[in-house]
Amino acid sequence: PYFHNVVDHLPRAALLAQPAVRRLGPVTVVHDTPLTPIERTLLPQLLGPNVELLEVEPGTGIVADQVLLPGYVTRPSSGAIPSWYRRWIDREAASERYRSDGTRPRRRLYVDRTGTRRRVLNRAALDLVLERHDIEPVDPLTMTIEDQISSFRDADLIVVVTGSGLVNTIFSRSAHVIELLPGAELLPHFYYLA
């Protein structure tokens, strides 16, 4: 899922770009399913030139001189990411490929994920509030990864129902976040991410 790719798996993969691993020589990351859009976009920059991505057919046998299995750098299901990964995400999101032309005002976004389990039941009432405060609904699933990163990078305010849509706040440099909780339960991994 998108949440675990961004919060858990990408920081884990980043360990392959650390100096101690680079001293081992070239590294091949083998995967048996197509990369997700976020993985295709961020992994090459995150891993650097020492690491090659290789997709193989599921069930393909691999013979390797060494096998590297990086551990998780986040606590399982905690949503708390390491500071070095947060700094890398910030530098990556600030790079030229995601930068707006500077003429667009900072946006106020509502992460609209109507097709998911976690949604606002009194949506008509929410729409009135969003309109009154010039908050535009956006559905990250209909956006390219590049558009997601640049939109959330430049956001002034992000309103989001607890869930994977909250992950996009990681690309923001200074947005205020309003998290709409579905009920009285506060999920720790989304709490730490927010």
Side-chain angles (χ1 to χ4, degrees):
Y2 187 69
F3 173 87
H4 293 292
N5 274 343
V6 176
V7 173
D8 293 322
H9 302 307
L10 288 175
R12 180 183 186 199
L15 293 177
L16 298 173
Q18 297 301 311
V21 176
R22 283 198 308 257
R23 287 193 288 271
L24 296 175
V27 173
T28 302
V29 173
V30 179
H31 56 98
D32 64 359
T33 57
L35 296 176
T36 65
I38 193 74
E39 291 167 339
R40 272 195 318 273
T41 302
L42 295 182
L43 266 177
Q45 284 79 24
L46 184 63
L47 296 175
N50 194 47
V51 180
E52 173 192 2
L53 296 168
L54 175 65
E55 183 177 351
V56 298
E57 290 294 321
T60 301
I62 303 292
V63 176
D65 296 329
Q66 292 181 335
V67 176
L68 303 173
L69 298 172
Y72 286 98
V73 295
T74 55
R75 289 189 317 239
S77 298
S78 74
I81 59 174
S83 58
W84 58 263
Y85 178 65
R86 178 66 184 103
R87 285 190 302 273
W88 179 83
I89 283 283
D90 193 52
R91 283 191 309 273
E92 179 64 20
S95 68
E96 280 299 317
R97 69 184 144 273
Y98 308 114
R99 192 169 294 154
S100 69
D101 60 8
T103 60
R104 181 173 70 184
R106 294 188 69 195
R107 296 167 75 184
R108 307 179 99 199
L109 307 174
Y110 168 65
V111 180
D112 189 0
R113 302 188 65 218
T114 54
T116 66
R117 218 169 25 104
R118 294 184 186 105
R119 64 186 182 281
V120 175
L121 298 177
N122 59 340
R123 181 58 193 264
L126 175 64
D127 284 341
L128 292 173
V129 173
L130 297 175
E131 186 177 325
R132 185 173 355 140
H133 294 283
D134 296 319
I135 301 170
E136 64 179 292
V138 295
D139 182 356
L141 297 177
T142 64
M143 303 167 78
T144 67
I145 293 299
E146 292 80 7
D147 286 342
Q148 284 181 51
I149 292 172
S150 65
S151 294
F152 286 90
R153 173 72 180 172
D154 293 335
D156 177 50
L157 174 70
I158 301 168
V159 180
V160 59
V161 174
T162 295
S164 290
L166 187 62
V167 173
N168 289 307
T169 62
I170 198 172
F171 300 117
S172 172
R173 65 178 162 211
S174 62
H176 298 279
V177 177
I178 297 175
E179 181 181 3
L180 305 176
L181 299 173
E185 182 181 351
L186 185 62
L187 301 174
H189 49 293
F190 293 121
Y191 170 81
Y192 285 116
L193 185 65

